[in-house]
């Protein structure tokens, strides 16, 4: 390689090196920053720690965890908060980059739905209504708490609620949830919450049929149709009826 | 003669370059379809290692290392530089973020084209020195020694020397730009 070529190469590369230090956001930055961070564009080490990447310690130096979702980093009240309830105060750890990225080129690789309920402390995780509003439909209006019985924390739907699988809510059973599920506890139920079924008349009817175990009604009855029964552990079901 | 130039040089050159472009676009498309874009992001590392590995041939040619069949090493040089470039091209994707890595990518592209041109030139040089084969044989050299001597003569032919005057500066530019990009990644990326 001739000396002239070497000099030309060296000068060009030196110019590029200088440009890399003067305009790092253009030369090396992976895309624009979010508008709120525009003033930091040419100051990489405002957010990055050398050889360790963007550092949460540097984030919280401006964004106080106690104020996130309530106040701006300048201390003014948020007019349009992104979430109805501030939750950053209830996170198990302050790992900002686990969910947030800034440069446009990096945001492209950001996992959708970065927020995970697992990041919240257990106590907050169980209190769905602290952050979420219950739907206003007829079913949900009657329910308080215990969302996790039907819904997962990953997605609202599909929910596991399929009442017909346990008992069909036909016109005779078109009633409020608490009639059967006392204190909105959907892990248990009672059939004696209405005037139609009382322990004494149920007992009489079953003894007449020779059925001794009738504590768990839905083990045999899955609808209001008395003839549509299935075998229970010690009950007399369809097969015995057919034999009669 | 014209048909021979087209079939033996222009067509393989175009095919190899076209294959590189097509493989880049197809891989990028597949990674997007399969939601595996992050894989492309990390392909820069094996791509760079492959390109660095391809330099073994250059070391052998300049006698910094003495072992290894130069012809095999040249084939490896061509293949690993091509594959490494493919990985780096997928790694760059079609997203324009910063100037430095794109300058490095452009320099790499020019380097690949220059490398393919060199390959074409070497094939012509080999033909040119075919006549020397008999000359070496007459001097009592073994078949392997004749092959090696003919290879070195082809490599050292004036046209090849002239080509290297272009290829090596391009490679240096590419190396420095890539190094700048790599250093900036190490400096600002959170590896842990």
């Amino acid at each position: 390689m001739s000396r002239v070529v070497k000099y030309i190469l060296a000068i060009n590369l030196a110019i590029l090196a200088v440009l890399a230090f003067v305009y790092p956001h253009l030369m090396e930055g992976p895309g624009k920053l979010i508008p709120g961070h525009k003033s930091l564009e040419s100051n990489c080490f405002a957010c990055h720690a050398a050889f360790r990447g963007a550092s949460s310690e540097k984030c919280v130096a401006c964004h106080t965890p106690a104020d996130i979702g309530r106040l701006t980093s300048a201390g003014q009240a948020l007019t349009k908060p992104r979430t109805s309830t501030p939750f950053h105060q209830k996170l198990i750890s302050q790992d900002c980059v686990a969910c947030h990225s800034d440069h446009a080129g990096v945001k492209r690789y950001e996992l959708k739905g970065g927020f995970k309920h697992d990041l919240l402390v257990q106590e907050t995780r169980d209190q769905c209504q602290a952050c979420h509003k219950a739907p206003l439909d007829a079913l949900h209006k009657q329910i308080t708490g215990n969302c996790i019985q039907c819904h997962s924390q990953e997605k609202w739907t599909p929910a596991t609620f399929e009442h017909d699988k346990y008992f069909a809510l036909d016109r005779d059973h078109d009633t409020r949830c608490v009639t059967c599920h006392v204190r909105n506890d959907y892990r248990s139920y009672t059939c004696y919450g209405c005037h139609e079924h009382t322990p004494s008349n149920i007992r009489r009817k079953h003894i007449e049929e020779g059925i001794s175990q009738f504590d768990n009604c839905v083990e045999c009855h899955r609808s209001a149709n008395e003839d549509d029964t299935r075998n229970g552990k010690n009950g007399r079901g369809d097969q015995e009826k057919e034999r009669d | 003669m014209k048909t021979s130039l087209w079939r033996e040089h222009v067509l393989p050159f175009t095919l190899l370059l076209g294959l590189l472009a097509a493989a880049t676009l197809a891989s990028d498309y597949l990674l997007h379809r399969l939601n595996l874009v992050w894989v492309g992001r990390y392909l820069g590392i094996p791509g760079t290692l492959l390109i660095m590995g391809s330099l073994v041939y250059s070391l052998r040619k300049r006698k910094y290392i003495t072992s290894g069949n130069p012809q095999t090493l040249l084939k490896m040089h061509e293949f690993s530089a091509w594959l490494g470039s493919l990985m780096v091209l997928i790694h760059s994707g079609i997203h324009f973020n910063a100037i430095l890595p794109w300058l490095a990518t452009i320099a790499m592209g020019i380097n690949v084209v220059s490398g393919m041109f060199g390959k074409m030139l070497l094939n012509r040089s080999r033909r040119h020195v075919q006549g020397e084969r008999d000359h070496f044989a007459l001097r009592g050299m073994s078949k392997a020694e004749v092959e090696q001597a003919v290879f070195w003569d082809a490599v050292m032919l004036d046209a090849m020397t002239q080509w290297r005057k272009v290829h090596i500066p391009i490679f240096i530019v590419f190396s420095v730009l890539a190094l700048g990009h790599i250093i900036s990644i190490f400096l600002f990326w959170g590896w842990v």
Side-chain angles (χ1 to χ4, degrees):
Chain A
M1 206 189 325
S2 77
R3 190 172 287 179
V4 178
V5 174
K6 277 182 191 168
Y7 281 135
I8 292 171
L9 271 183
I11 291 166
N12 277 291
L13 293 172
I15 290 169
L16 282 172
V18 171
L19 288 174
F21 283 100
V22 179
Y23 303 107
H25 57 296
L26 296 175
M27 295 299 284
E28 296 134 34
K32 284 184 178 174
L33 293 174
I34 56 167
H37 288 163
K38 195 170 170 38
S39 61
L40 304 172
E41 224 160 38
S42 56
N43 182 10
C44 309
F45 291 108
C47 302
H48 291 264
F51 304 106
R52 286 190 288 127
S55 131
S56 296
E57 291 91 57
K58 297 206 177 208
C59 301
V60 298
C62 295
H63 303 278
T64 317
D67 295 341
I68 298 174
R70 295 179 177 131
L71 304 174
T72 65
S73 55
Q76 292 160 336
L78 282 175
T79 46
K80 283 182 187 170
R82 284 191 187 171
T83 53
S84 56
T85 313
F87 63 87
H88 283 78
Q89 298 72 19
K90 310 284 173 63
L91 294 173
I92 47 174
S93 71
Q94 292 294 342
D95 184 5
C96 310
V97 287
C99 297
H100 299 276
S101 53
D102 203 324
H103 291 280
V106 181
K107 271 193 177 297
R108 198 174 293 122
Y109 302 99
E110 201 174 58
L111 292 172
K112 295 280 176 266
F115 173 80
K116 298 257 184 299
H117 286 86
D118 297 346
L119 298 170
L120 295 168
V121 293
Q122 183 70 47
E123 191 186 325
T124 308
R125 212 183 303 162
D126 296 338
Q127 295 166 356
C128 308
Q129 274 140 324
C131 295
H132 299 280
K133 279 184 187 160
L136 296 172
D137 59 76
L139 172 69
H140 288 96
K141 258 164 66 175
Q142 306 171 48
I143 301 165
T144 13
N146 271 328
C147 314
I148 202 81
Q149 284 182 92
C150 298
H151 300 277
S152 78
Q153 289 190 339
E154 293 294 315
K155 289 178 191 168
W156 177 252
T157 53
T160 54
F161 179 75
E162 282 180 74
H163 208 283
D164 285 1
K165 217 167 108 183
Y166 306 99
F167 194 86
L169 298 174
D170 53 23
R171 62 197 170 96
D172 295 326
H173 293 92
D174 183 13
T175 183
R176 299 176 65 232
C177 307
V178 288
T179 307
C180 306
H181 302 287
V182 180
R183 290 185 297 279
N184 280 317
D185 181 1
Y186 304 97
R187 283 167 298 196
S188 65
Y189 71 94
T190 176
C191 291
Y192 305 128
C194 68
H195 298 296
E196 177 65 20
H197 310 300
T198 61
S200 57
N201 70 18
I202 294 292
R203 179 183 164 77
R204 182 172 44 77
K205 279 184 185 175
H206 283 83
I207 296 294
E208 277 173 15
E209 296 286 331
I211 302 165
S212 55
Q213 290 287 329
F214 46 86
D215 296 337
N216 187 7
C217 311
V218 297
E219 197 177 353
C220 302
H221 301 279
R222 297 296 169 103
S223 71
N225 183 355
E226 284 183 19
D227 296 325
D228 179 23
T229 57
R230 57 189 76 192
N231 287 324
K233 268 185 263 176
N234 295 305
R236 198 176 79 146
D238 293 342
Q239 287 171 3
E240 285 177 68
K241 276 187 178 174
E242 278 166 22
R243 221 182 299 139
D244 293 343
Chain B
M1 181 65 188
K2 271 186 180 174
T3 315
S4 160
L5 182 73
W6 164 255
R7 194 183 298 154
E8 289 173 19
H9 301 297
V10 182
L11 190 63
F13 175 85
T14 313
L15 278 177
L16 212 54
L17 200 62
L19 189 65
L20 183 66
T24 306
L25 292 174
S27 310
D28 192 60
Y29 173 76
L30 274 176
L31 290 175
H32 277 87
R33 277 297 296 266
L34 300 171
N35 209 16
L36 292 171
V37 180
W38 64 270
V39 174
R41 197 179 194 191
Y42 288 96
L43 280 182
I45 299 167
T48 307
L49 292 176
L50 275 170
I51 292 172
M52 283 165 72
S54 76
L55 296 178
V56 174
Y57 165 72
S58 310
L59 297 176
R60 173 76 178 94
K61 200 171 77 62
R62 284 167 184 74
K63 312 271 193 298
Y64 288 114
I65 52 172
T66 48
S67 60
N69 182 341
Q71 279 169 285
T72 314
L73 287 175
L74 177 61
K75 279 208 174 75
M76 276 176 61
H77 171 80
E78 289 167 2
F79 178 72
S80 57
W82 187 90
L83 189 64
S85 303
L86 171 67
M87 289 179 172
V88 172
L89 282 174
I90 299 169
H91 160 75
S92 351
I94 50 164
H95 314 294
F96 191 95
N97 293 318
I99 297 170
L100 188 68
W102 270 98
L103 286 177
T105 309
I106 292 166
M108 186 194 73
I110 297 172
N111 213 188
V112 170
V113 174
S114 160
M116 287 177 183
F117 187 77
K119 181 180 160 68
M120 191 175 88
L121 215 57
L122 184 65
N123 284 340
R124 283 186 78 82
S125 301
R126 271 184 184 153
R127 286 204 181 81
H128 193 257
V129 293
Q130 278 298 315
E132 291 182 18
R133 205 178 287 271
D134 299 335
H135 170 70
F136 285 126
L138 281 172
R139 281 166 56 188
M141 290 166 82
S142 70
K143 197 179 173 186
E145 282 171 333
V146 170
E147 286 300 322
Q148 194 131 326
V150 167
F151 176 79
W152 283 128
D153 277 0
V155 166
M156 294 306 177
L157 209 71
D158 193 44
M160 290 304 294
T161 313
Q162 292 298 324
W163 166 76
R164 265 192 295 279
K165 280 186 182 168
V166 178
H167 188 65
I168 291 170
I170 296 170
F171 176 73
I172 292 171
V173 171
F174 163 56
S175 310
V176 174
L177 293 172
L179 193 67
H181 172 56
I182 291 166
I183 290 173
S184 71
I185 292 297
F186 269 102
L187 194 58
F188 297 118
W189 185 256
W191 294 93
V192 284

